[in-house]
Amino acid sequence: MSLIPSWFGRRPNTVDPFSLHAWDPFEGWPTLPLAGFPSEMSSFAHAEVDWKETPAAHVFKADVPGMKKDEVKVEIEEGKILQISGRRNREQEEKTDTWHRIERSSGSFSRRFRLPEDAKVDQVKAAMENGVLTVTVPREGVKKPDVRFIEISG
């Protein structure tokens, strides 16, 4: 007897009170780390990014609190991809310290954005102030279509 209706088909690991193994719906999924325990997942830092378009430029603002400008990289890859990356290091632990909570993330982060065709990638500027990285990508002027009137004969 199976708890899964027959129209789904019979699976070898379905829940069956007469079988020795129960079906695990999360089998094969990655396990998430428990709070306070270090793991690869918890060593990833994240940077929240806003992207706005003005008539003159594309402006990216990334929150990178507590980071210095030499810990953050801004790059243009393949001519049209803006990459913002960096590394946030964990505080040094002293043997006499007793930690009660570790919530601030540490590790590497990377954010990539495909820039539109009107981006002037050779004139990109970046500045950092109060934990906010601002990347300004100027836009080319709006090109008016070249319209040529054709005289109709006949």
Side-chain angles (χ1 to χ4, degrees):
M1 179 178 139
S2 173
L3 295 177
I4 298 177
S6 62
W7 62 81
F8 285 112
R10 185 92 170 132
R11 298 176 77 179
N13 283 341
T14 57
V15 177
D16 190 345
F18 301 108
S19 71
L20 296 175
H21 298 286
W23 174 64
D24 181 6
F26 301 107
E27 182 177 7
W29 286 32
T31 57
L32 296 177
L34 297 173
F37 291 97
S39 73
E40 287 299 314
M41 189 86 105
S42 65
S43 66
F44 181 78
H46 187 68
E48 301 289 336
V49 179
D50 294 337
W51 175 4
K52 73 176 177 179
E53 183 176 344
T54 68
H58 295 276
V59 180
F60 297 83
K61 290 192 177 218
D63 286 342
V64 288
M67 296 187 74
K68 300 178 182 118
K69 67 179 183 179
D70 58 334
E71 297 172 325
V72 178
K73 286 194 314 188
V74 178
E75 302 170 304
I76 301 290
E77 294 181 350
E78 301 171 13
K80 289 291 181 181
I81 297 176
L82 172 68
Q83 178 169 310
I84 301 170
S85 61
R87 179 159 187 79
R88 185 176 293 139
N89 294 319
R90 187 176 296 264
E91 265 187 54
Q92 288 291 78
E93 294 184 30
E94 298 293 327
K95 293 188 186 244
T96 58
D97 292 345
T98 302
W99 289 85
H100 294 281
R101 184 175 301 270
I102 299 174
E103 293 183 341
R104 296 184 304 150
S105 60
S106 63
S108 299
F109 69 89
S110 178
R111 300 293 310 270
R112 295 168 55 106
F113 303 92
R114 182 172 304 281
L115 297 172
E117 292 298 318
D118 68 348
K120 292 183 179 179
V121 294
D122 57 334
Q123 298 176 13
V124 176
K125 292 188 177 11
M128 189 147 59
E129 185 177 342
N130 296 328
V132 178
L133 172 70
T134 303
V135 180
T136 306
V137 183
R139 296 177 59 197
E140 292 178 6
V142 178
K143 295 180 182 176
K144 294 184 180 181
D146 186 22
V147 179
R148 200 175 92 206
F149 291 100
I150 308 296
E151 188 174 323
I152 301 172
S153 62

